[in-house]
Amino acid sequence: MQVEVSGSAVISLLVDNESGALARIVELFSGRGYNIQSLTVAPVDEHGQTSRVNIVTTGTQSSIWQVKTQLERLVPVSRVVNLTAEGPYVAREMALVKVVSSGEPRTEALRIAQAFRARAVDTTASSFVFELTGSTDKLDSFIELMRPLGLVEVSRTGVASICRGPQTIQNF
Amino acid sequence: MTRSTGSTTLNARITTTLPGAEVLLRALVEQGVDVIFGYPGGAVLPIYDALFKQDHIRHVLVRHEQAAVHAAEAYARSTGKVGVVLVTSGPGATNAVTGLLDAMMDSIPLVCLSGQVPTPLIGNDAFQEADTTGITRPVTKYNYLVRKPEDLAPAVHEAFAIARSGRPGPVLIDLPKNITVGDAPYVDAKAVTPRTTRMTTQPDRAAIARAVAAMKAGKRVLFYTGGGIINSGPQASETLRKLVALTGFPVTSTLMGLGAFPGTDRRFLGMLGMHGTYEANLATHACDVLVALGSRFDDRVTGRLDAFSPNSFKIHVDIDPSQINKIVHVNEGLVGDVGQIMALMIEEWEKQPAYAHKAELEAWWAQIEGWRALDCLRFGQDQAPDAVIKPQQAIQRIYELARQTGRDTYVSTEVGQHQMWAAQFFRFDAPNRWLTSGGLGTMGYGLPAAVGAQIAHPDALVMDVAGEASTLMNIQELGTIAQYRLPVKIFIINNHYMGMVRQWQELLHGSRYSESYSDALPDFVKLAESFHATGLRVTRLDQLDATIAQALAHDGPVLVDICVAEGENCFPMIPSGAAHNQMILGPEQEASSATISKEGQMLV
Ligand SMILES: Cc1ncc(C[n+]2csc(CCOP(=O)(O)OP(=O)(O)O)c2C)c(N)n1
Ligand SMILES: [Mg+2]
């Protein structure tokens, strides 16, 4: 049998904004043994009736295809697009990164933050909270660099994604 | 596939306002409901009160909520309608869970109404509160907690649409007591656009043409049919018959698909899979084109996956896109209603050049007849008058004697060896007559299923082929049978063992019969009598036919305790982890199966 390679995929959904809808999606992943790396959800239409859910998952091509068809079966789900499979897309997230240090490490942290275009959204004599937006990779490397410089806490939003160009999730 | 967004849409103005319970019943009537299987309790008292005041809907009082669901399943399966269940909050709802999953696995359309504590109390651990939508989410196709009166009627209408559409399944509506007591607006079904309409699938004509071309090129084609054909409706069974007549190809079926094609037709090879026939399994292994029609490559069917039908071009027709390529990679996946797609296949078959492999098809049939000649279901019944009855003999005679009555017959089963023997020996000529728990294998299904079938078909012959262990799991339904005077015929194939468990222990665990003996059984004859039914017992071969005939002739409920040989095993059998061409045909071969691998032992 051929061994399929695993990769990660960004799946975007439009979902009726009703109680239980998110639970249904999350339980589908846990119940069938699929994995969720990150998940974001918020209403996106003018009346607050439809939410967009972005899920980063990993798996073989066929298991990701399975995830997609399983998601399509859910009643409150009106649209499912595997952005990774459909062409170029933008995927970005935000992180809040707290660094507690003084002296040389503190100046070094500030210097790296500037290089990454991270903003210091809270500053005290002994700490910074940096806000950084970008790709998951960029956030990962920023956090790695902060680790020896007094990193104490991280809060990340998970990925929001959208396809490039004039196309929308509606017309795939 | 196209989809639009937005929740259930209301298209019309609200006309009437009524107490919620009356809105509920009115919506049920509009959906064509004539029977509800249920059990009362505090949270559903307003609904029971509304039921009391009307005469459109009949309520059947079961003796346990699990039984209500199984009865509704059988009602649905045998009529093609949506089955309806009504249970109270808390324990009423949790008792229904097994039945809901059973319906989910076997794609049975149900609507289950559950009571709930009033909305202001939800989350407070109120008396008989349960997070019913949370508990039932994974065992239903969809569920609702109705929080606002205006959501009530639309939820009911949409629930029926969801239960019926696509791959059918159970839907639960949780009804807080303040919603059923308070006033709610009534809206008609036609004023509601269910979200099922978001999914519209048109059959892919080009793919059908390619599939038919592959069938025309095939020299050893096999149809592998499943429960999807039953779900599609009787018309689909008709279409299957036409397709088979036109092509001349052999047919095998899953457990759930039995009856879609006549069991007595020469072109039917019997069931395939773990306890399928020799000819069906070898044909599956040897075919060069396998056409799966409304079946889902369940592990009971495929056996060892990498050896399943290894050299065939595979075509898979299913209404649920997520089934295609889920387990077995197929060459052509056709999404849509199986009846409709078979009709298009027929059109295409007639359009394309004539089938050019007539000689090879004949050779294929000759090979199949060779396999069939082995007579894999044969069993050696000692013919002495006082001989111990073999379970196969009992089941075969029940089938033959019931057939001789000429009556329209519905058969339910429990779960175990008797279920597999019934699947092997009963030959159904029509769909919707065979009621069994396939996907979940729920012991305790058969007796309540017989209740549901008899309620739906009061004049038909309804039989439950049962095991002594399974029957005890819902034995309380003898009370329901008595109350409604249901002339159900229960045949307990009493081998004093959880036979199927004993068989696996014999095969896989060195005959260590750990906890599989049915000890301290009740006297089933007296048990039947205490529930106002007729009880019969038979222990010797020479009384078997007369006893079965006596039961069939009686116009009330009968329970027959058929005491059979204890040690019989169900063959053929593909042990778990083995391939179709590694079937065990009988006890002679059992010894060699001691080699079943550790991996095989891990499988269920
Ligand atoms: C609710 C439930 N519990 C356990 C099982 C596992 N199981 C499958 S068959 C079987 C034995 C059934 O015994 P019986 O009803 O006497 O049927 P027989 O196999 O003897 O014909 C058991 C315990 C099951 N299928 N369902
Ligand atoms: Mg038994």
Side-chain angles (χ1 to χ4, degrees):
Chain A
M1 241 201 252
Q2 236 179 310
V3 183
E4 283 189 278
V5 279
S6 271
S8 85
V10 180
I11 298 177
S12 272
L13 300 90
L14 292 183
V15 175
D16 299 337
N17 188 6
E18 63 178 29
S19 74
L22 189 60
R24 241 171 260 285
I25 292 165
V26 171
E27 282 169 16
L28 189 153
F29 277 79
S30 62
R32 292 188 183 263
Y34 307 132
N35 133 295
I36 296 183
Q37 273 190 342
S38 88
L39 178 146
T40 59
V41 54
V44 289
D45 70 326
E46 55 196 308
H47 308 295
Q49 283 177 352
T50 304
S51 290
R52 182 168 178 137
V53 178
N54 299 291
I55 298 174
V56 181
T57 180
T58 50
T60 59
Q61 253 192 7
S62 57
S63 80
I64 288 170
W65 189 85
Q66 262 296 312
V67 169
K68 181 174 180 282
T69 53
Q70 296 284 353
L71 286 168
E72 278 168 342
R73 297 208 302 183
L74 301 178
V75 173
V77 171
S78 59
R79 200 93 191 94
V80 185
V81 175
N82 177 351
L83 289 174
T84 311
E86 295 290 346
Y89 65 96
V90 188
R92 307 186 44 98
E93 59 175 313
M94 190 182 89
L96 297 174
V97 178
K98 184 174 289 183
V99 178
V100 178
S101 53
S102 60
E104 185 54 28
R106 182 169 160 93
T107 5
E108 177 67 0
L110 195 60
R111 208 182 51 73
I112 293 174
Q114 276 158 1
F116 271 80
R117 293 173 206 272
R119 286 200 308 139
V121 290
D122 179 67
T123 308
T124 68
S126 60
S127 69
F128 287 119
V129 174
F130 295 117
E131 176 200 309
L132 177 64
T133 308
S135 69
T136 298
D137 280 354
K138 180 178 168 183
L139 270 55
D140 286 348
S141 39
F142 181 73
I143 290 165
E144 276 320 301
L145 289 169
M146 286 298 139
R147 214 173 282 287
L149 303 175
L151 180 92
V152 292
E153 192 174 356
V154 178
S155 178
R156 292 170 75 151
T157 57
V159 165
S161 57
I162 205 158
C163 67
R164 290 184 186 274
Q167 274 204 60
T168 73
I169 189 170
Q170 295 288 4
N171 49 33
F172 273 106
Chain B
M1 216 173 288
T2 54
R3 283 182 157 208
S4 66
T5 50
S7 337
T8 328
T9 343
L10 274 186
N11 301 332
R13 291 270 215 90
I14 288 139
T15 47
T16 336
T17 297
L18 299 164
E22 284 175 40
V23 167
L24 172 69
L25 295 189
R26 195 160 153 183
L28 295 180
V29 171
E30 198 185 340
Q31 290 294 335
V33 175
D34 45 17
V35 181
I36 292 179
F37 299 90
Y39 205 95
V44 286
L45 283 180
I47 304 173
Y48 274 86
D49 200 39
L51 275 170
F52 188 81
K53 293 185 214 149
Q54 55 86 52
D55 50 15
H56 298 289
I57 297 176
R58 177 177 182 204
H59 179 274
V60 175
L61 178 68
V62 294
R63 300 305 191 258
H64 187 294
E65 288 87 353
Q66 181 192 352
V69 187
H70 294 323
E73 283 184 90
Y75 182 90
R77 190 96 177 144
S78 70
T79 61
K81 301 209 291 193
V82 178
V84 183
V85 177
L86 172 57
V87 298
T88 193
S89 66
T94 56
N95 271 350
V97 169
T98 302
L100 292 173
L101 182 55
D102 193 88
M104 186 78 170
M105 297 279 268
D106 285 344
S107 311
I108 312 286
L110 292 186
V111 170
C112 178
L113 310 162
S114 54
Q116 182 55 280
V117 301
T119 48
L121 292 188
I122 289 178
N124 288 346
D125 301 323
F127 178 63
Q128 293 194 332
E129 179 184 355
D131 175 8
T132 301
T133 47
I135 290 169
T136 60
R137 202 172 286 124
V139 301
T140 53
K141 213 178 150 184
Y142 190 61
N143 61 18
Y144 302 82
L145 170 59
V146 179
R147 289 173 185 277
K148 290 182 282 182
E150 62 270 28
D151 292 344
L152 176 58
V156 176
H157 294 312
E158 190 183 57
F160 277 82
I162 292 170
R164 283 189 201 105
S165 69
R167 182 178 177 186
V171 179
L172 177 134
I173 311 178
D174 205 21
L175 298 162
K177 202 169 176 183
N178 55 330
I179 297 288
T180 48
V181 170
D183 280 348
Y186 188 75
V187 289
D188 298 340
K190 58 178 182 305
V192 176
T193 308
R195 282 169 288 177
T196 49
T197 54
R198 280 174 181 176
M199 271 264 238
T200 50
T201 322
Q202 286 308 317
D204 180 347
R205 294 278 190 147
I208 294 173
R210 288 195 302 273
V212 170
M215 285 156 63
K216 291 245 173 175
K219 294 166 183 154
R220 297 183 310 277
V221 187
L222 177 66
F223 291 118
Y224 146 47
T225 60
I229 301 187
I230 313 277
N231 275 332
S232 176
Q235 186 61 40
S237 295
E238 284 304 312
T239 313
L240 172 64
R241 287 154 207 233
K242 280 191 203 134
L243 183 63
V244 174
L246 193 65
T247 58
F249 299 150
V251 186
T252 180
S253 168
T254 67
L255 182 72
M256 296 312 291
L258 294 175
F261 192 78
T264 46
D265 192 300
R266 283 302 283 177
R267 275 164 301 201
F268 187 63
L269 310 187
M271 181 171 77
L272 83 166
M274 186 172 271
H275 291 291
T277 65
Y278 186 65
E279 51 271 34
N281 284 334
L282 287 195
T284 309
H285 196 77
C287 65
D288 66 354
V289 178
L290 183 69
V291 190
L293 300 167
S295 45
R296 61 179 177 94
F297 298 93
D298 179 83
D299 54 65
R300 298 295 95 160
V301 160
T302 60
R304 207 177 87 206
L305 263 184
D306 58 359
F308 173 70
S309 194
N311 302 312
S312 60
F313 182 95
K314 295 179 185 71
I315 299 166
H316 187 189
V317 182
D318 204 295
I319 199 159
D320 176 0
S322 74
Q323 296 305 320
I324 291 176
N325 290 320
K326 185 178 80 176
I327 292 166
V328 169
H329 174 77
V330 297
N331 305 83
E332 207 63 76
L334 308 176
V335 176
D337 175 79
V338 65
Q340 199 187 353
I341 289 186
M342 284 191 294
L344 293 170
M345 281 177 155
I346 290 175
E347 261 180 43
E348 193 61 42
W349 182 273
E350 283 168 337
K351 221 161 47 193
Q352 291 188 16
Y355 183 61
H357 302 295
K358 287 258 153 65
E360 288 93 338
L361 178 59
E362 254 172 60
W364 177 225
W365 270 113
Q367 195 175 8
I368 289 171
E369 291 305 337
W371 293 326
R372 178 142 49 194
L374 193 87
D375 192 12
C376 68
L377 299 181
R378 77 190 180 288
F379 53 91
Q381 170 66 56
D382 177 354
Q383 294 300 326
D386 63 348
V388 176
I389 301 162
K390 287 218 170 184
Q392 301 95 315
Q393 173 79 11
I395 289 173
Q396 187 169 45
R397 292 308 290 157
I398 294 167
Y399 164 62
E400 287 166 353
L401 292 168
R403 199 176 178 92
Q404 279 171 28
T405 65
R407 296 178 63 191
D408 194 11
T409 304
Y410 294 79
V411 182
S412 70
T413 73
E414 296 288 350
V415 170
Q417 291 180 321
H418 63 278
Q419 175 191 30
M420 291 299 118
W421 280 314
Q424 292 173 341
F425 288 100
F426 274 77
R427 302 265 155 173
F428 295 93
D429 285 333
N432 307 95
R433 303 300 192 280
W434 166 243
L435 311 164
T436 200
S437 171
L440 196 60
T442 311
M443 291 170 71
Y445 170 88
L447 192 56
V451 168
Q454 191 80 76
I455 290 282
H457 309 278
D459 300 325
L461 172 59
V462 175
M463 307 194 289
D464 171 24
V465 177
E468 83 293 338
S470 300
T471 301
L472 288 177
M473 285 215 181
N474 267 322
I475 192 71
Q476 77 288 343
E477 293 313 307
L478 286 175
T480 311
I481 287 170
Q483 178 176 348
Y484 296 94
R485 299 173 201 277
L486 303 176
V488 166
K489 314 296 178 237
I490 303 149
F491 295 100
I492 295 182
I493 311 300
N494 188 346
N495 54 7
H496 285 87
Y497 272 99
M498 300 169 195
M500 192 55 96
V501 174
R502 192 194 46 69
Q503 176 166 350
W504 281 54
Q505 288 172 332
E506 188 173 312
L507 245 63
L508 293 149
H509 299 280
S511 295
R512 289 177 295 278
Y513 298 138
S514 177
E515 305 295 325
S516 56
Y517 184 68
S518 287
D519 213 334
L521 285 173
D523 178 333
F524 282 109
V525 172
K526 285 191 187 144
L527 181 70
E529 283 165 358
S530 74
F531 275 104
H532 322 290
T534 301
L536 303 172
R537 176 171 298 120
V538 49
T539 55
R540 10 185 310 157
L541 181 68
D542 61 353
Q543 290 160 6
L544 177 65
D545 282 14
T547 312
I548 295 170
Q550 185 188 348
L552 294 176
H554 184 67
D555 62 3
V558 186
L559 185 155
V560 190
D561 183 17
I562 307 182
C563 302
V564 297
E566 294 185 358
E568 277 302 296
N569 287 340
C570 183
F571 296 113
M573 177 178 185
I574 303 175
S576 30
H580 280 188
N581 56 354
Q582 299 171 315
M583 240 170 302
I584 307 176
L585 286 170
E588 319 77 49
Q589 278 172 300
E590 231 180 280
S592 65
S593 71
T595 56
I596 289 172
S597 63
K598 204 73 187 173
E599 290 109 88
Q601 263 193 29
M602 275 184 244
L603 299 170
V604 286

